[in-house]
Amino acid sequence: MTMSRLPAARPAFALSSPRGNWRLIALLAAYPFLFKLAHFMASPWGGSHFFSLWYPAAGVRLALLWHVGARWTPLVVAEECLIQLLSGVIDSASPELFNHIWGVARAPLAYGVMIGAVRWVERRSRSELALPPMPFGLAAILSPTLAAFLAGLWEWLWPSVTPDLSTQPFATTIAAFLVGDLLGVLLVAPALLWLLGRVGDREAVALPSGARCAEGAIILGLGWVLAAALAKVEPDISMTPVLLCATWVGLRCGRSGAWVAIILSAAIILPWSASLLSTPTRFALHMGLAAVAMSAYLAASFAEAQVRARQDIARRDRILFQAERLKTLRAMSVAIIHEISQPLSTLAIETRHMAVLSRDEAPDLAEMRQSADLIERKATLLADMVRRLRRFGGRAVDEPSAIPLDRLVQDCLGIAAAEARRHNCRLRFDDTAPSPLVQGHEIELTQVLLNLIRNAMTAAPGADIVIGIHMSGNDAVVHIANPLRDAVPDHGGMGVGLLVARAIVEAHGGRLERVILDGGVQHSVRLPVAEAAHG
């Protein structure tokens, strides 16, 4: 049995709020107009054999597909073709109508294919390339490259649409398409995605420190001084110092610093190149600017990915440290039960003895005092034992902090992946789910989600386990659903896992809920959204 046989459960598994659905509809509806507006922005930099030396429409396209997902590529293709038909770019009466339509459709198709491939690698790979923000950096470089290669190949083999390009070398034809798309993507897409992230309450991009900003400004300024001196001798290679300095800025200041370096470089090159009459010089300058953008952004993405990897390793170390303590506690439990049972037996015996003595008309006070002293010693022993146990097992190893729920779920899925393979289960999580922030102890909340995921796999071996995130008022909800089995083998648990999980969730101001669905069961962890998520 799979979750597809649970029709009544589907509404409960929704991964986005109604507000998110309306935002998606609004973005898709506004896209054709934003795409056309970006075309007008590029017109001053158009030239012979080039659609534009700066093509911001490509940045709008990539930002939309990265935000909403590659599955919307067919709709984006249809919208671009429609807006180009309505604006007269595609002549509906032309005998080359198919070639014109394909000339418009091939770029969004290439972007959708590449974004889908990068997302697939991001979900399934454990290499450095799958660590955020490297996937976006790769998509921002590879999507324009694939689109330019398809465009150059088509124009070279079937030159009827753009005859002038057939006289150019194949590599030059590809470069003609690549330069504009790269500049458009790396100048426009990060800003749009940052804006969409702020609207969508997602994690903000980290800003470099003041010292790093000052260092980046000095290095980039030095690069431009050298570039200005070199431009008087050989303009075609004048961007080389800026390339090296912008790469350094990306490594030291991250994506925000790299994007500022790219914007400043474009603000210098684009107005200057627009006034030049020499197409080769303009092309060389824009190739240099494209190289600056690619190098700086990839370097920044790699640097942030390494920081993220170190943070993930530290977080996993804390989780493993806590897990080792819990494992030790489990091993100690038998001995502890034995140690506790003896004083408890003594307390019970002495208490009954004192009760018998108290019913005597002339009780032996010395004997009662002796029993009372024994009871006090055993009670003190038990209290000390419990206090030491609580100090060992209950000490927090992390401080409360604002935690992105999607990252917390992804960490749990990574930890549970090997166990899922043993149970022949498939863990399904939509990476486009909302990412609210919750305040709490990361290790404790990780233990709660891991416990629920493991319980779901144990209850339904061989089935799909559906994990999702949605908003409910001011609460963020993580739900874990699995089908019900008629007979589930007893795995020897004591049944206290859910009690511990419920206590942890309630200590965070939330609730742990269980709902029986048509053929399935769903556990939901409801937590209040952190104040930082509202700002």
Side-chain angles (χ1 to χ4, degrees):
M1 181 187 298
T2 62
M3 293 308 296
S4 60
R5 297 177 60 183
L6 305 176
R10 291 179 184 239
F13 297 160
L15 297 180
S16 59
S17 63
R19 186 180 70 172
N21 291 333
W22 280 111
R23 186 183 298 126
L24 173 63
I25 294 172
L27 285 173
L28 293 173
Y31 174 69
F33 306 100
L34 295 175
F35 181 80
K36 199 60 185 177
L37 177 62
H39 268 269
F40 289 118
M41 292 172 58
S43 57
W45 288 273
S48 176
H49 310 315
F50 302 95
F51 292 119
S52 175
L53 290 175
W54 178 49
Y55 191 61
V60 178
R61 177 195 297 139
L62 185 131
L64 177 72
L65 288 174
W66 186 262
H67 185 72
V68 304
R71 63 182 178 274
W72 293 100
T73 299
L75 179 59
V76 171
V77 172
E79 288 183 327
E80 289 194 22
C81 290
L82 179 61
I83 197 66
Q84 298 292 52
L85 276 169
L86 294 177
S87 60
V89 174
I90 298 178
D91 185 3
S92 59
S94 171
E96 297 290 342
L97 178 61
F98 170 76
N99 280 340
H100 283 288
I101 292 178
W102 170 245
V104 173
R106 65 196 175 204
L109 281 174
Y111 276 57
V113 168
M114 188 54 66
I115 289 173
V118 170
R119 287 294 200 186
W120 185 87
V121 172
E122 180 184 12
R123 289 191 295 269
R124 287 164 175 78
S125 175
R126 293 295 175 185
S127 70
E128 294 83 354
L129 297 180
L131 291 174
M134 274 303 295
F136 174 74
L138 292 174
I141 303 301
L142 296 178
S143 297
T145 302
L146 178 60
F149 180 82
L150 291 178
L153 182 63
W154 184 269
E155 298 296 342
W156 185 61
L157 295 176
W158 292 278
S160 57
V161 177
T162 315
D164 290 340
L165 285 175
S166 63
T167 63
Q168 301 295 318
F170 181 55
T172 303
T173 304
I174 293 178
F177 291 96
L178 179 60
V179 171
D181 275 29
L182 276 175
L183 291 180
V185 164
L186 293 175
L187 289 175
V188 175
L192 290 179
L193 286 172
W194 178 83
L195 180 61
L196 290 171
R198 297 295 294 176
V199 172
D201 290 335
R202 289 188 180 265
E203 193 175 5
V205 176
L207 297 177
S209 64
R212 290 285 179 91
C213 290
E215 175 188 331
I218 293 172
I219 293 294
L220 189 63
L222 178 61
W224 273 108
V225 169
L226 295 175
L230 193 59
K232 298 178 180 179
V233 180
E234 185 53 63
D236 290 355
I237 62 171
S238 59
M239 293 295 291
T240 303
V242 180
L243 170 66
L244 299 175
C245 294
T247 303
W248 178 270
V249 171
L251 288 171
R252 297 286 289 167
C253 300
R255 287 177 296 160
S256 55
W259 189 70
V260 171
I262 295 169
I263 286 290
L264 292 175
S265 300
I268 296 172
I269 290 296
L270 291 177
W272 176 28
S273 63
S275 62
L276 295 176
L277 298 178
S278 172
T279 297
T281 301
R282 296 175 69 192
F283 180 65
L285 288 174
H286 281 257
M287 281 295 291
L289 181 56
V292 167
M294 285 191 295
S295 179
Y297 206 83
L298 281 179
S301 298
F302 180 79
E304 289 194 14
Q306 294 305 302
V307 172
R308 173 72 178 268
R310 289 194 293 270
Q311 292 173 346
D312 288 345
I313 291 173
R315 186 166 58 252
R316 294 289 178 89
D317 286 345
R318 293 197 305 270
I319 293 173
L320 291 174
F321 175 71
Q322 181 77 343
E324 188 64 27
R325 283 224 313 266
L326 293 175
K327 181 180 178 181
T328 304
L329 278 174
R330 185 178 299 174
M332 292 170 57
S333 60
V334 175
I336 291 171
I337 291 172
H338 174 74
E339 293 295 328
I340 290 178
S341 62
Q342 192 274 333
L344 284 177
S345 299
T346 302
L347 286 174
I349 293 171
E350 293 300 324
T351 302
R352 287 195 298 269
H353 181 59
M354 287 194 67
V356 172
L357 292 175
S358 66
R359 288 193 291 269
D360 195 337
E361 293 182 358
D364 188 340
L365 296 180
E367 188 174 357
M368 291 184 66
R369 189 178 301 110
Q370 184 179 8
S371 293
D373 291 341
L374 181 58
I375 291 173
E376 182 183 7
R377 289 198 304 273
K378 294 299 181 181
T380 302
L381 176 65
L382 282 173
D384 290 342
M385 189 180 302
V386 171
R387 191 179 303 110
R388 289 196 302 270
L389 184 62
R390 289 182 61 186
R391 187 163 54 245
F392 177 79
R395 186 171 63 252
V397 294
D398 66 332
E399 295 297 327
S401 60
I403 309 166
L405 265 187
D406 66 334
R407 190 188 70 187
L408 188 70
V409 172
Q410 291 283 12
D411 287 344
C412 292
L413 295 182
I415 296 172
E419 192 169 348
R421 288 191 292 270
R422 289 197 299 270
H423 287 282
N424 197 26
C425 290
R426 189 163 71 99
L427 303 177
R428 291 171 45 199
F429 176 64
D430 187 353
D431 58 8
T432 64
S435 179
L437 299 176
V438 296
Q439 189 79 16
H441 291 274
E442 186 171 11
I443 291 176
E444 293 182 358
L445 293 178
T446 300
Q447 292 172 345
V448 170
L449 296 182
L450 279 176
N451 181 276
L452 296 177
I453 293 172
R454 285 168 175 159
N455 286 350
M457 292 189 295
T458 302
D464 285 4
I465 309 301
V466 180
I467 302 99
I469 301 173
H470 69 272
M471 296 297 300
S472 177
N474 292 326
D475 292 336
V477 182
V478 181
H479 48 261
I480 299 161
N482 60 273
L484 286 174
R485 298 301 195 198
D486 295 333
V488 178
D490 185 4
H491 292 272
M494 298 181 63
V496 298
L498 284 178
L499 295 178
V500 174
R502 189 182 303 277
I504 292 175
V505 173
E506 290 177 354
H508 285 76
R511 297 197 310 274
L512 177 60
E513 302 169 343
R514 183 175 185 266
V515 178
I516 300 296
L517 307 167
D518 183 12
V521 61
Q522 176 176 287
H523 286 87
S524 299
V525 177
R526 182 183 295 268
L527 296 167
V529 176
E531 291 297 327
H534 298 295

